Amino acid sequence: MLFSTVAIASQPHIIRHFSIYEKRNAYCAWPAIARAENGDIVVLFTRTEEHMSPNGEIMLVRSTDNGETWLPPSVIYDTLVDDRESGITVLHDGRLLTHLRSVRFEPSTYTSLPDTAYPPELIERWIGYVEKPEYKNATHLHRAWQTISSDNGYTWSDPQPSRDSIHGGIQLASGSLLVASYRDNGGNIGVYKTENTETPWRQVATVECPQLDKIRFGEPHILQLPSGRIVMMIRATAKPYDDGSPLCYAWGTYSDDDGETWAPAYETPLWGFPPHLTLLSDGRVLCTYGHRRPPYGQRAAISEDGVNWSVENEFILRDDAPNKDLGYPVSIELEPGKILTVYYQPNVPPGVKPATHPPLPNRKKPGILGTIWKLPSADKEPSTIQLESRRELFVDDFLIHRLENVKKTLHRPQREKVALTFDKPWEGIYSAYPTVIKDGDLYRMYYRGMPKAGTDGQIVTCYAESQDGITWTKPSLGIHKIHGTRKNNVILDGGWDFSSAFTPFLDTRPGVPESERFKAVSGVEEKGLAAFVSSDGIHWKRWGPEYIITKGMFDSQNVAFWSPSEQRYICYFRTWTGERFSGYRTISRTTSPDFLNWDEPEAMTFGNTPMEHLYTNGTRPYFRAPHIYIALAKRFLPGKPALQKDLAETLLSNPKHGMDSSDAVFMTSRGGNAYDRTFMEAFIRPGGSMEDWVARDNTPGLGIVPGNEREMFLYRMSHYGQPTGHLTRYSMRTDGFASLSAPYQGGEVTTKPFTFRGDQLIINYATSAAGEIRVEIQDADGLPLSGYTLSDCLPIFGDEIKRNVAWKSKKIVSTLQGKPIRLRFYLKDADLFSMKFSPDV
């Protein structure tokens, strides 16, 4: 894979989204764009009844004021067959060359469609249309065509045979015309050339594509750079057809000899399709493409050379589409740095959720939409962050602009002693899914009791508590009669449906009634999650409808909480990337204003990282920085056994649990459907005991809790499926998940610009005796502020959770409140864990 590693790009400024053309009963899609010789912007698109209708037509819509307003459309090409997928090539003499494809469908096209594809009466009407004699006899129309306009798109010549080109081609400096075509090339990309518009196209090259058994390549676009190099981007779709597959990354190649030979095709890190390339006035290359997995919408990326691409230079233009019937964005530069992108998707107001399937009467068909936006310049700095008085942990790149001889370091917790053994008859070897909550001075723990495997045994939810998070007791609650006695610590006798993964939380929403102070979700695969409430965390009752969330698989520990930063309830739950229990175990999320009515779920994304089985998600707001969600997830590696067969049979009641491995990983999120996986390494390794190397062991307990001023506690399942099963306590430095770390030689960190509120800058840090930390405050442009320079800063060394930064003549920073500033940290043999502006010393 070819891609660059560059600084994180700032997001573009969206000026406005708007509708160019839509019609209630028309399906409008697949736009092409060009600027005519007279300055008009012309957009071609297909108008038809549905995606698979037999009689589409090519429409043209025009703007005479640089995209601000649009004239009514006109039909420029319409035959009795389906005319679709136009592309435009702007010729040196100002003429417009349009490529299009006419398709004559056979009746079998419609008789072979699934019953759920379209309403039966619509299929019947289409079949009647394609069985008309004049349609059957139109075999000569079934091919690619081209037509030319010499008057800026007002009139067009008679069509001539051509090659398909979804976005159009290019005219080379030599005058020859070049297109890339994917049909009739056996899965590869054909490159065709002609000397002028009157001579036939001849194939001059073939771009060989790999993995043709897994990937369908198509819809390429080409662009010639000022250097003469021709770059190409190609759509990739999984076989069998899956436009949400991890295989749908755009592929690239290039030619340095006018398209006669091409470099081997390579996968780029840009997920989406089909790609459209635009040469910008500053020499960079813009690629726009649709994004057909949540969040649905349109995206763009910038490359310095059209060959090397990075998701760090990817922009989200829209992420509000109601479904995946979208894409094909095409772009032109209106003026330097100002872009018009045209695409198709349903035009749906925020909050409206139309039906997505054609048979449903309230389905909103897609229209031709546009977005005008400003592109960050090549050297533009990120916009100012409103930091306020939040504590920031250096667990991601949110605040970081530049690192020099400094690295982000993941720290691992210290294994302590056994916190709790599962030694009661109602607990047993399959006890699992612990949740720990700090409620005032009391630590509460909830976990599954499950002595036998399977769903037909007595499965319960157990409770323990502690005054210090170290020593735990199991109170005799007398709520349920279990194994013939009420002297037990069971709070819920919910069976498989509601006790297999009962997950509570302390509701911190302001104004929550006392009777609902504790809430929980619990459920079972393929049915859904139910809501529970409690006033004391011990006595629970069902609440609301039978199931509050139903779109998921839920075959794991599903978690919920109130988010003060998003002002919503959030639920993270188990889904799979494939149908039912196939593909990868992964995570989705949904939100709610009231815990009972939940939005459409969104699949979580993980940045440009490989997919892994994530057995649990373990997501909770961090108690010292609740706008940052810490996710301690169990990573599962099926088919990777650490135990030999005879040892698995000795240790485990179910030896199959020895055939896989697992560990714990660290992820973060700042809301939305994205996890940050800066650190791919294990956060907690299984350890030196073979009893911990079993398939469903190593599950991190849900909840990181304060232990004392310097430490926080977390917990992990150990010896799952064995008589020695227990919960292990781990300790970790407060805020100490990750740090900015510099060696003895020293290094520097510069933040992005931000504003703050507070009197003092407080850091959590550690150095060696020879090490130190100094801090400089700069203005937004990176110039040091008088009195706050690096040389003015009093050196900091030691190991403190809370240390006030001071300068020779400045001990407070309140005069800088509300002003955009940057921080420059100098670190020598030091770790910086967190920072915060606060009135507290």
Side-chain angles (χ1 to χ4, degrees):
M1 181 185 296
L2 261 131
F3 58 94
S4 59
T5 54
V6 297
I8 296 174
S10 55
Q11 289 299 309
H13 170 60
I14 304 298
I15 298 174
R16 65 186 180 100
H17 303 303
F18 56 94
S19 173
I20 294 177
Y21 179 80
E22 53 186 319
K23 188 177 180 181
R24 175 66 182 90
N25 294 317
Y27 184 99
C28 302
W30 314 307
I33 196 167
R35 188 181 291 279
E37 187 179 31
N38 67 349
D40 291 356
I41 299 172
V42 294
V43 170
L44 303 185
F45 63 93
T46 302
R47 184 175 69 181
T48 184
E49 186 177 14
E50 289 288 356
H51 191 140
M52 293 296 294
S53 298
N55 56 342
E57 55 192 352
I58 306 296
M59 311 289 293
L60 181 148
V61 65
R62 177 187 306 270
S63 173
T64 61
D65 55 6
N66 214 31
E68 293 299 319
T69 60
W70 296 83
L71 299 176
S74 59
V75 178
I76 70 161
Y77 194 85
D78 184 24
T79 68
L80 59 87
V81 299
D82 184 34
D83 305 310
R84 56 171 58 203
E85 298 176 3
S86 52
I88 307 178
T89 304
V90 181
L91 304 181
H92 292 170
D93 60 9
R95 292 181 299 161
L96 300 177
L97 171 65
T98 290
H99 300 262
L100 60 95
R101 187 168 67 94
S102 297
V103 181
R104 173 186 162 276
F105 291 107
E106 297 287 348
S108 59
T109 302
Y110 300 116
T111 57
S112 63
L113 288 173
D115 294 339
T116 57
Y118 295 101
E121 61 273 15
L122 186 58
I123 295 292
E124 184 177 353
R125 177 158 55 82
W126 288 350
I127 292 174
Y129 183 84
V130 302
E131 287 184 336
K132 291 180 179 181
E134 59 269 30
Y135 190 96
K136 285 185 174 182
N137 293 332
T139 55
H140 62 288
L141 294 177
H142 183 83
R143 64 161 303 144
W145 300 93
Q146 69 184 43
T147 181
I148 296 174
S149 173
S150 300
D151 57 3
N152 301 301
Y154 284 100
T155 61
W156 296 84
S157 66
D158 292 336
Q160 298 296 323
S162 186
R163 307 303 312 184
D164 67 272
S165 181
I166 184 68
H167 291 315
I170 56 176
Q171 186 168 20
L172 302 172
S174 64
S176 298
L177 306 179
L178 197 73
V179 297
S181 174
Y182 73 103
R183 300 184 187 278
D184 306 320
N185 282 280
N188 297 306
I189 304 299
V191 180
Y192 295 84
K193 184 181 286 188
T194 184
E195 301 311 314
N196 53 63
T197 58
E198 288 74 38
T199 56
W201 294 88
R202 68 184 192 281
Q203 188 164 359
V204 295
T206 299
V207 177
E208 300 288 343
C209 297
Q211 305 180 54
L212 292 180
D213 58 329
K214 298 179 180 179
I215 302 176
R216 174 192 175 193
F217 293 91
E219 296 178 339
H221 190 219
I222 56 176
L223 178 72
Q224 188 166 35
L225 305 180
S227 65
R229 169 172 284 183
I230 302 169
V231 293
M232 179 191 300
M233 294 284 273
I234 309 167
R235 171 182 175 173
T237 311
K239 291 181 178 180
Y241 183 83
D242 180 2
D243 56 12
S245 166
L247 295 176
C248 295
Y249 288 93
W251 285 63
T253 181
Y254 57 89
S255 170
D256 290 319
D257 57 4
D258 277 359
E260 300 288 334
T261 60
W262 294 81
Y266 57 89
E267 186 183 58
T268 78
L270 305 183
W271 192 97
F273 56 81
H276 177 267
L277 298 171
T278 304
L279 181 63
L280 300 176
S281 56
D282 63 8
R284 295 183 294 166
V285 179
L286 170 69
C287 182
T288 47
Y289 42 96
H291 196 262
R292 290 191 182 180
R293 62 183 181 188
Y296 302 120
Q298 318 296 333
R299 300 204 176 187
I302 288 289
S303 170
E304 296 294 328
D305 57 7
V307 174
N308 296 286
W309 298 89
S310 169
V311 291
E312 293 180 339
N313 283 335
E314 181 181 66
F315 312 125
I316 297 175
L317 303 182
R318 295 195 76 157
D319 61 0
D320 59 349
N323 56 59
K324 64 181 182 178
D325 197 357
L326 57 80
Y328 291 74
V330 291
S331 300
I332 61 170
E333 192 172 25
L334 299 175
E335 58 188 54
K338 186 177 181 181
I339 310 297
L340 166 64
T341 299
V342 177
Y343 46 90
Y344 88 93
Q345 73 178 48
N347 189 22
V348 178
V352 176
K353 297 181 178 179
T356 61
H357 204 270
L360 300 178
N362 62 334
R363 169 175 173 257
K364 181 66 181 278
K365 295 182 181 181
I368 303 301
L369 309 184
T371 296
I372 296 177
W373 53 287
K374 283 192 174 181
L375 183 73
S377 63
D379 56 354
K380 184 176 180 179
E381 300 295 351
S383 58
T384 301
I385 297 168
Q386 294 181 334
L387 196 62
E388 301 298 317
S389 295
R390 298 193 307 267
R391 176 175 283 106
E392 286 299 332
L393 278 60
F394 297 106
V395 293
D396 56 17
D397 289 317
F398 174 75
L399 200 57
I400 299 170
H401 174 60
R402 182 179 293 111
L403 300 177
E404 297 180 15
N405 205 32
V406 171
K407 64 179 180 179
K408 297 186 290 289
T409 300
L410 178 68
H411 297 272
R412 295 185 173 90
Q414 174 68 39
R415 187 168 188 160
E416 303 291 353
K417 297 181 179 180
V418 173
L420 194 77
T421 57
F422 305 122
D423 54 2
K424 301 299 183 183
W426 50 85
E427 294 174 343
I429 63 174
Y430 298 113
S431 293
Y433 296 144
T435 298
V436 180
I437 297 171
K438 180 79 182 310
D439 180 19
D441 294 332
L442 184 65
Y443 296 82
R444 301 177 183 271
M445 182 187 295
Y446 305 82
Y447 57 97
R448 178 178 79 191
M450 183 174 164
K452 297 180 180 179
T455 62
D456 53 354
Q458 190 167 30
I459 303 169
V460 298
T461 303
C462 303
Y463 172 82
E465 58 187 32
S466 172
Q467 297 297 319
D468 58 8
I470 300 173
T471 302
W472 292 83
T473 61
K474 302 175 183 178
S476 180
L477 301 173
I479 300 174
H480 298 281
K481 190 173 184 178
I482 309 295
H483 285 249
T485 179
R486 288 186 178 272
K487 294 182 179 180
N488 60 62
N489 62 327
V490 173
I491 61 163
L492 183 68
D493 183 11
W496 179 257
D497 281 9
F498 300 119
S499 282
S500 60
F502 182 84
T503 310
F505 67 97
L506 181 61
D507 191 348
T508 59
R509 178 175 63 85
V512 66
E514 188 68 21
S515 61
E516 302 168 12
R517 196 166 74 93
F518 290 88
K519 291 185 173 66
V521 291
S522 189
V524 69
E525 54 264 29
E526 301 188 87
K527 290 184 179 180
L529 296 180
F532 292 76
V533 294
S534 172
S535 61
D536 60 2
I538 295 177
H539 299 85
W540 294 82
K541 64 179 181 180
R542 289 283 298 276
W543 191 49
E546 182 179 11
Y547 294 104
I548 58 172
I549 304 170
T550 57
K551 293 184 178 180
M553 298 307 291
F554 313 113
D555 54 321
S556 179
Q557 185 178 29
N558 311 287
V559 310
F561 54 83
W562 169 258
S563 168
S565 59
E566 296 189 72
Q567 288 292 293
R568 305 275 289 182
Y569 289 99
I570 316 293
C571 182
Y572 292 86
F573 56 94
R574 160 72 69 78
T575 48
W576 290 70
T577 59
E579 293 295 324
R580 299 191 75 248
F581 304 101
S582 66
Y584 285 92
R585 296 166 174 86
T586 189
I587 304 162
S588 293
R589 84 163 211 161
T590 179
T591 69
S592 169
D594 57 9
F595 200 67
L596 296 178
N597 300 285
W598 294 82
D599 295 332
E600 192 72 13
E602 295 180 295
M604 294 300 293
T605 63
F606 306 92
N608 189 30
T609 63
M611 286 296 294
E612 295 184 309
H613 285 274
L614 298 176
Y615 206 95
T616 62
N617 70 76
T619 309
R620 274 283 194 265
Y622 178 50
F623 63 90
R624 281 169 53 91
H627 63 289
I628 301 175
Y629 310 157
I630 303 296
L632 303 186
K634 180 165 80 170
R635 174 169 54 189
F636 186 62
L637 293 98
K640 187 178 181 181
L643 303 182
Q644 294 183 358
K645 183 178 179 181
D646 57 346
L647 181 57
E649 292 174 346
T650 301
L651 290 177
L652 304 171
S653 60
N654 184 352
K656 289 196 302 183
H657 288 166
M659 296 300 101
D660 313 303
S661 300
S662 60
D663 57 20
V665 295
F666 175 84
M667 308 186 298
T668 60
S669 177
R670 292 176 179 266
N673 73 317
Y675 279 120
D676 181 278
R677 295 205 66 185
T678 294
F679 306 102
M680 295 297 293
E681 299 77 19
F683 181 62
I684 303 177
R685 294 173 177 170
S689 168
M690 293 309 296
E691 286 85 349
D692 283 324
W693 284 86
V694 301
R696 285 159 176 78
D697 209 345
N698 305 308
T699 304
L702 176 64
I704 301 159
V705 293
N708 51 58
E709 185 175 324
R710 287 191 60 88
E711 288 184 325
M712 50 192 182
F713 296 158
L714 49 147
Y715 305 83
R716 188 200 77 166
M717 291 290 305
S718 299
H719 298 193
Y720 180 83
Q722 303 162 66
T724 54
H726 61 273
L727 198 65
T728 302
R729 180 175 65 90
Y730 286 75
S731 64
M732 193 168 203
R733 179 194 187 93
T734 299
D735 301 346
F737 304 106
S739 70
L740 298 176
S741 179
Y744 179 85
Q745 291 77 14
E748 292 190 2
V749 179
T750 306
T751 70
K752 299 171 185 175
F754 63 85
T755 58
F756 72 93
R757 287 188 301 107
D759 297 328
Q760 298 163 336
L761 172 59
I762 297 170
I763 62 172
N764 181 341
Y765 76 101
T767 77
S768 69
E772 67 175 31
I773 294 178
R774 295 176 187 258
V775 185
E776 177 176 273
I777 302 181
Q778 305 175 343
D779 65 15
D781 295 323
L783 298 177
L785 297 178
S786 178
Y788 295 100
T789 67
L790 212 60
S791 59
D792 291 322
C793 184
L794 302 178
I796 297 171
F797 56 94
D799 189 333
E800 299 173 274
I801 302 298
K802 185 164 58 176
R803 170 67 178 265
N804 182 32
V805 180
W807 294 261
K808 292 175 183 177
S809 60
K810 308 280 189 180
K811 292 189 177 180
I812 62 173
V813 294
S814 54
T815 58
L816 303 176
Q817 292 184 98
K819 299 177 182 179
I821 65 166
R822 297 174 184 266
L823 294 182
R824 173 191 174 197
F825 292 94
Y826 170 75
L827 309 177
K828 177 181 179 180
D829 198 5
D831 287 281
L832 180 63
F833 297 96
S834 66
M835 55 164 278
K836 184 181 191 300
F837 287 89
S838 171
D840 301 322
V841 179

